[in-house]
Amino acid sequence: MPTYHIHYFGLLADRRGKQDESLSHPACTAEEMFRHLFPSHESSPPKGIRAAVNDAFVPWDHPLADGDHIAFMPPMSGG
């Protein structure tokens, strides 16, 4: 089973209670991994949340590979 290195930002880190974790899971796409980690989102990921794999933004159907670094980022505002 592949192992992924997951990074969370903003409210997603708050919801998971951590900013990073490594996880073995059979997810094949970024969307499948997001839905596993945040099961309250039964359909597609909420509008505005982005996925990045190995430091590049990707579409939700992007295929995952063992060892990938996956980041989930909500819309951010700053100041």
Side-chain angles (χ1 to χ4, degrees):
M1 188 172 312
T3 298
Y4 305 109
H5 309 284
I6 316 292
H7 310 281
Y8 308 101
F9 295 88
L11 69 98
L12 298 176
D14 293 342
R15 288 178 61 197
R16 288 294 290 178
K18 57 186 92 178
Q19 293 182 333
D20 301 286
E21 68 181 308
S22 291
L23 181 69
S24 293
H25 191 272
C28 295
T29 66
E31 182 174 358
E32 287 177 16
M33 180 57 73
F34 183 87
R35 288 171 48 182
H36 167 72
L37 296 166
F38 300 97
S40 62
H41 299 287
E42 296 175 11
S43 57
S44 60
K47 187 175 183 173
I49 292 181
R50 303 276 316 264
V53 176
N54 300 325
D55 299 322
F57 286 112
V58 297
W60 286 105
D61 62 352
H62 180 83
L64 300 177
D66 186 42
D68 277 350
H69 286 258
I70 306 164
F72 293 113
M73 294 169 271
M76 298 208 184
S77 61

